[in-house]
């Protein structure tokens, strides 16, 4: 319950150097005491809570809650806040309980504030008309749909209307700062929402933003940061003079060390430092650590950018309109350059200046190497490297998101119907090249790339090893029975971390268009359902592969035994190749003895998983 100030309280406030435009416009909590209010100017309608507690402003350093040296206009202040040394004013803001707001120049909401929601940005095509609408519920999957189907006018209109309606239902005239928020030594906060448990320390400007957290994963905005027209989500941090504009920063992301980003998306555990991005779609676990690295006009996931990585999206006088896709798990070596448009197949590694607009989606796990004008492709090479072995094991361990803050879905399967479908295509592609050109040649041509004869033969071998590993692994994960669903038997997609049958993806798109999927929560639930059914959908796809590969109409116990035998043989061959790769690196002197031996011991333990059943 709130009440008006009594005359005695007004006199005490005046004696403390306080003034008011209208003392009758100030409402206070029943337990309010003016004891801890000093040098405050009140304008408009102001509501004050009670100030009874000491608050910890730094470890072991406590000050009593209260308001000192501030100007407040049209504000509501919760219980036990410490607000002091506000250089200009706090205007049109609701502030929750137990907040610390000190040494801040201005906090203000102006007319028409949208808090960064509803902002449409151009991702991939830097000069496009805009394809992703930012809002607090954006996930990597929803964003991937917006980008993938941006040319579908009906879909784009439907999803934008859906989001706009949801924003309109909750938009408020006043800015909001939630409970237990700490804002210190910050210059400007304008037209922004900062939810519970967030901390802003030393930022220069936060304008037209929503900073949203959950108790298990607060958001931290640090020194020198400028954040404009953006949304920042659970567990993320933006620190060390980073600058972001028109961006979405998803769960557990980190942007640091002067990184600058414009019109870009960052999802689920992405890490960006030192470099810059523009019109970039950075899906889960995208990482760029180095100076001079520019991520521009491209879609990434599980990506690692080497130092001085650069992408070119210009079309001469037509402007920066080109864009590309680096599928899951791609790496670019130091000094890499890729000319857009380009599409790089999953888990590939790029070296040098990659020209001629490559499309290697049909040859995943490859090395692309440029030596001057010579473009070399080594198909399947990355299947047998220490780097891949380490990567596929590290990502699940590095998911920093709490269980209650995992809106973007991540399926960590590196061998899946999506990737193995591409592996099957790759194997056939290489076999066709060999059949057409024969075995007695030194090299083969694949578009503008050269594949050495030895690389082609090894590629076929590596792809077949991967096929047999996948088939055996699936058999270990599912009962031997005929598939109970038709869903999953066709093509698959990787929607920025979610592995989903194309039929389900298209069903969701149609549902959005015809209105049967009516809210963004419904969209997320559809994706969650598809993810929960992944094992069954994968089995439906894999059963057909098993029959095709082994030339049978039904997978019997006898066939299953053969699949398992081939799985063990293939897996041991795979581990042997990875061991060779580790030995090569050790012999180069790049790895110390202890690290090398620890890695070999890890490989030795792989045999323990060969006969392990993974289903009940």
């Amino acid at each position: 319950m709130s009440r008006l100030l009594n005359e005695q309280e007004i006199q005490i406030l005046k004696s403390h150097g306080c003034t008011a435009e209208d003392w009758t416009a100030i409402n206070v909590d029943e337990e309010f005491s003016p004891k801890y209010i000093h040098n405050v100017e009140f304008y408009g309608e102001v509501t004050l809570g009670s100030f009874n507690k000491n608050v910890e402003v730094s470890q072991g350093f406590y000050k009593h809650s209260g308001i000192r040296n501030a100007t407040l206009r049209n504000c509501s202040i919760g219980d036990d806040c410490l607000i002091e040394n506000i250089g200009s004013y706090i205007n049109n803001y609701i502030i929750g309980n137990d907040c610390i707001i000190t040494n801040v120049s201005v906090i203000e909401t102006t007319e028409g504030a949208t808090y960064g929601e509803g902002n449409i940005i151009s991702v991939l095509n830097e000069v496009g008309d805009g394809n992703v609408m930012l809002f607090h519920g954006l996930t990597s999957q929803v964003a991937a749909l917006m980008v993938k189907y941006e040319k579908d006018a009906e879909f784009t209109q439907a999803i934008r209307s859906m989001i706009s309606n949801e924003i309109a239902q909750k938009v408020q005239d006043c800015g909001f700062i939630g409970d237990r928020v700490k804002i210190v030594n910050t210059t400007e906060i304008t037209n922004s929402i900062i939810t519970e448990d967030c901390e802003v320390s030393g930022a220069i400007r936060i304008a037209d933003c929503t900073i949203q957290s959950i108790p298990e994963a607060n958001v931290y905005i640090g020194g020198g940061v400028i954040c404009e027209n953006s949304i920042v989500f659970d567990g993320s941090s933006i620190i060390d003079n980073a600058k972001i504009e028109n961006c979405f920063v998803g769960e557990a992301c980190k942007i640091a060390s002067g990184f600058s980003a414009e019109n870009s998306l960052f999802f689920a555990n992405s890490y960006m430092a030192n470099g810059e991005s523009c019109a970039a779609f950075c899906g889960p676990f995208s990482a760029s650590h180095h100076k001079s690295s520019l991520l521009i006009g491209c879609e990434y996931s599980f990506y690692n950018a080497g130092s001085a990585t650069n992408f070119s999206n210009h079309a001469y006088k037509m402007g920066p309109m080109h864009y590309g896709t680096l599928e899951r798990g791609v790496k670019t070596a130091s000094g890499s350059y890729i000319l857009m448009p380009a599409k790089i197949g999953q888990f590939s590694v790029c070296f040098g200046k990659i020209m001629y607009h490559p499309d290697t989606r049909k040859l995943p796990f490859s090395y692309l190497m440029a030596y001057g004008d010579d473009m070399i492709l080594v198909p399947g090479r990355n299947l047998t490297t220490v780097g891949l072995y380490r990567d596929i094991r590290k990502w699940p361990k590095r998911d920093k998101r709490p269980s209650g803050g995992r809106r973007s879905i991540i399926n960590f399967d590196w061998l899946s119907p999506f990737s193995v479908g591409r592996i099957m295509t790759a194997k056939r592609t290489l076999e066709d090249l060999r059949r057409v050109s024969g075995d007695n040649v030194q090299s083969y041509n694949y578009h503008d790339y050269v594949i050495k004869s030895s690389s082609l033969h090894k590629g076929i071998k590596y792809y077949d090893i991967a096929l047999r590993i996948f088939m055996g692994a699936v058999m270990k994960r599912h009962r031997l029975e005929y598939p109970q669903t038709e869903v999953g038997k066709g093509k698959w997609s990787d929607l920025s971390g979610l592995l989903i049958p194309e039929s389900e993806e298209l069903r969701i798109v149609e549902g959005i268009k015809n209105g049967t999927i009516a809210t963004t929560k419904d969209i997320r639930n559809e994706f969650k359902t598809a993810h929960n059914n992944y094992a069954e959908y994968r089995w439906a796809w894999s059963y057909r592969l098993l029959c095709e590969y082994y030339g049978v109409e039904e997978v019997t116990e006898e066939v299953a035994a053969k699949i398992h035998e081939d799985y063990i043989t293939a897996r041991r061959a795979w581990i042997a190749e990875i061991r060779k790769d580790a030995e090569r690196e050790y012999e180069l002197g790049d790895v110390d003895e202890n690290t090398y031996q620890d890695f070999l011991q890890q490989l030795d333990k792989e045999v323990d998983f060969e006969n392990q059943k993974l289903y009940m």
Side-chain angles (χ1 to χ4, degrees):
M1 297 289 294
S2 63
R3 59 176 176 81
L4 294 175
L5 290 167
N6 60 44
E7 189 58 36
Q8 182 181 8
E9 289 169 334
I10 292 173
Q11 292 306 316
I12 292 173
L13 288 171
K14 287 181 177 180
S15 71
H16 288 176
C18 298
T19 63
E21 185 179 50
D22 180 0
W23 289 107
T24 64
I26 300 173
N27 285 272
V28 296
D29 184 82
E30 288 287 351
E31 298 182 6
F32 172 80
S33 168
K35 182 177 181 180
Y36 299 102
I37 312 297
H38 293 262
N39 300 321
V40 180
E41 297 180 23
F42 298 101
Y43 293 86
E45 297 183 0
V46 177
T47 301
L48 302 176
S50 60
F51 302 94
N52 301 317
K53 296 180 182 178
N54 288 326
V55 297
E56 189 173 22
V57 296
S58 186
Q59 188 172 7
F61 177 23
Y62 289 84
K63 298 179 74 172
H64 201 283
S65 58
I67 307 175
R68 294 178 278 275
N69 306 321
T71 299
L72 306 180
R73 178 180 181 273
N74 295 339
C75 291
S76 174
I77 311 296
D79 296 335
D80 299 307
C81 292
L82 174 62
I83 300 175
E84 60 182 3
N85 302 327
I86 306 301
S88 294
Y89 49 78
I90 301 176
N91 180 27
N92 291 330
Y93 254 87
I94 298 171
I95 298 173
N97 303 317
D98 302 299
C99 293
I100 298 174
I101 303 175
T102 67
N103 298 327
V104 177
S105 177
V106 62
I107 300 176
E108 180 175 30
T109 307
T110 59
E111 186 177 354
T114 62
Y115 315 104
E117 299 215 71
N119 186 17
I120 298 174
I121 66 173
S122 293
V123 179
L124 303 189
N125 183 355
E126 187 182 351
V127 292
D129 295 328
N131 50 10
V132 176
M133 178 178 279
L134 303 186
F135 71 107
H136 72 284
L138 190 66
T139 67
S140 59
Q141 282 74 51
V142 174
L145 280 190
M146 290 185 193
V147 171
K148 191 171 183 178
Y149 296 95
E150 65 174 306
K151 301 300 183 185
D152 185 332
E154 186 181 355
F155 168 80
T156 298
Q157 175 62 34
I159 197 165
R160 287 184 183 179
S161 295
M162 180 192 299
I163 295 168
S164 296
N165 289 337
E166 292 182 10
I167 293 172
Q169 289 173 12
K170 72 180 194 67
V171 70
Q172 52 195 37
D173 295 331
C174 258
F176 174 77
I177 294 173
D179 296 343
R180 300 174 300 281
V181 169
K182 184 176 183 179
I183 304 174
V184 298
N185 304 322
T186 292
T187 305
E188 175 190 345
I189 294 177
T190 307
N191 296 338
S192 295
I193 290 174
I194 303 175
T195 64
E196 287 77 7
D197 300 295
C198 293
E199 181 173 349
V200 180
S201 179
I204 294 175
R205 182 167 65 257
I206 297 175
D208 301 287
C209 292
T210 293
I211 299 173
Q212 182 166 319
S213 71
I214 55 177
E216 313 95 283
N218 67 305
V219 172
Y220 179 77
I221 310 294
V225 168
I226 297 174
C227 185
E228 299 176 321
N229 296 305
S230 298
I231 296 175
V232 185
F233 231 76
D234 312 339
S236 291
S237 60
I238 305 174
I239 60 175
D240 301 336
N241 301 297
K243 179 181 179 181
I244 69 169
E245 182 179 359
N246 297 319
C247 291
F248 184 92
V249 181
E251 303 150 332
C253 292
K254 184 175 182 179
I255 299 180
S257 304
F259 190 88
S260 63
E262 180 181 355
N263 294 306
S264 296
L265 308 173
F266 307 94
F267 292 105
N269 304 289
S270 289
Y271 178 90
M272 300 286 149
N274 295 302
E276 60 180 303
S277 71
C278 180
F281 188 128
C282 300
F285 292 97
S286 296
S288 176
H289 298 249
H290 308 287
K291 290 183 178 179
S292 302
S293 291
L294 169 63
L295 309 186
I296 188 168
C298 200
E299 185 172 4
Y300 316 88
S301 65
F302 299 86
Y303 167 65
N304 196 317
S307 59
T309 289
N310 207 321
F311 298 84
S312 177
N313 63 341
H314 269 267
Y316 190 47
K317 295 179 181 178
M318 296 299 292
M321 60 183 291
H322 287 318
Y323 53 91
T325 300
L326 271 60
E327 293 188 331
R328 176 186 294 228
V330 171
K331 292 182 179 180
T332 49
S334 296
S336 293
Y337 170 96
I338 300 178
L339 179 64
M340 298 298 172
K343 295 179 174 61
I344 309 299
Q346 301 163 76
F347 295 98
S348 295
V349 185
C350 299
F351 303 84
K353 192 171 184 179
I354 307 296
M355 306 294 286
Y356 308 128
H357 311 303
D359 185 348
T360 65
R361 289 174 294 176
K362 292 183 178 180
L363 293 173
F365 298 91
S366 294
Y367 278 10
L368 282 78
M369 300 180 292
Y371 299 101
D373 291 332
D374 296 328
M375 302 292 149
I376 309 297
L377 195 151
V378 187
R381 173 67 181 90
N382 201 37
L383 276 165
T384 59
T385 65
V386 172
L388 176 75
Y389 180 87
R390 292 182 64 247
D391 284 345
I392 60 180
R393 282 156 179 76
K394 78 182 181 186
W395 286 316
K397 297 175 183 177
R398 294 185 180 181
D399 194 342
K400 299 176 183 177
R401 302 174 300 162
S403 57
R406 299 190 174 190
R407 291 196 176 194
S408 291
I409 298 170
I410 302 176
N411 186 325
F412 291 100
D413 262 8
W414 68 285
L415 290 178
S416 67
F418 181 68
S419 61
V420 174
R422 293 285 177 79
I423 286 172
M424 292 168 61
T425 299
K427 186 169 179 281
R428 286 194 294 265
T429 298
L430 296 184
E431 288 170 343
D432 289 344
L433 281 174
R434 184 177 61 182
R435 182 166 53 253
V436 171
S437 300
D439 284 322
N440 299 320
V441 295
Q442 291 185 335
S443 63
Y444 300 84
N445 292 324
Y446 181 76
H447 301 306
D448 292 300
Y449 287 79
V450 174
I451 302 174
K452 293 182 179 179
S453 179
S454 59
S455 297
L456 182 136
H457 289 86
K458 287 180 181 178
I460 294 172
K461 171 188 169 183
Y462 295 155
Y463 287 137
D464 190 63
I465 285 174
L467 282 174
R468 287 185 282 146
I469 291 174
F470 171 76
M471 290 186 289
V474 170
M475 287 294 301
K476 290 169 58 176
R477 287 170 168 80
H478 203 284
R479 294 178 180 83
L480 181 55
E481 60 184 10
Y482 193 79
Q484 303 300 302
T485 179
E486 294 293 312
V487 178
K489 289 186 176 181
K491 292 182 179 180
W492 282 61
S493 296
D494 183 350
L495 276 181
S496 196
L498 171 66
L499 299 170
I500 183 173
E502 279 192 6
S503 60
E504 287 298 282
E505 177 186 319
L506 292 172
R507 183 184 61 79
I508 292 170
V509 169
E510 287 302 313
I512 294 169
K513 289 161 66 172
N514 62 35
T516 56
I517 297 176
T519 67
T520 57
K521 183 179 180 181
D522 291 340
I523 299 174
R524 292 195 299 272
N525 286 339
E526 290 286 347
F527 285 136
K528 185 176 180 181
T529 298
H531 180 60
N532 291 340
N533 291 331
Y534 171 72
E536 291 303 315
Y537 298 161
R538 177 183 60 190
W539 177 244
W541 187 88
S542 302
Y543 194 90
R544 191 177 68 173
L545 169 63
L546 295 171
C547 292
E548 179 184 327
Y549 189 91
Y550 286 93
V552 297
E553 295 184 359
E554 180 185 0
V555 181
T556 63
E557 291 287 352
E558 182 180 359
V559 174
K562 172 62 175 170
I563 293 169
H564 185 65
E565 179 184 336
D566 288 348
Y567 161 75
I568 292 176
T569 302
R571 206 168 188 278
R572 290 181 181 179
W574 179 57
I575 296 300
E577 292 291 338
I578 293 170
R579 184 184 293 270
K580 288 179 186 177
D581 196 52
E583 289 171 353
R584 281 191 291 269
E585 189 169 356
Y586 176 68
E587 289 169 359
L588 290 172
D590 297 335
V591 180
D592 64 65
E593 176 72 22
N594 289 336
T595 301
Y596 174 60
Q597 292 299 332
D598 288 345
F599 184 73
L600 294 186
Q601 289 178 17
Q602 185 179 351
L603 292 182
D604 290 338
K605 294 177 182 178
E606 287 290 334
V607 70
D608 298 338
F609 302 106
E610 289 179 356
N611 295 304
Q612 183 181 10
K613 285 287 186 182
L614 300 179
Y615 66 86
M616 300 299 293

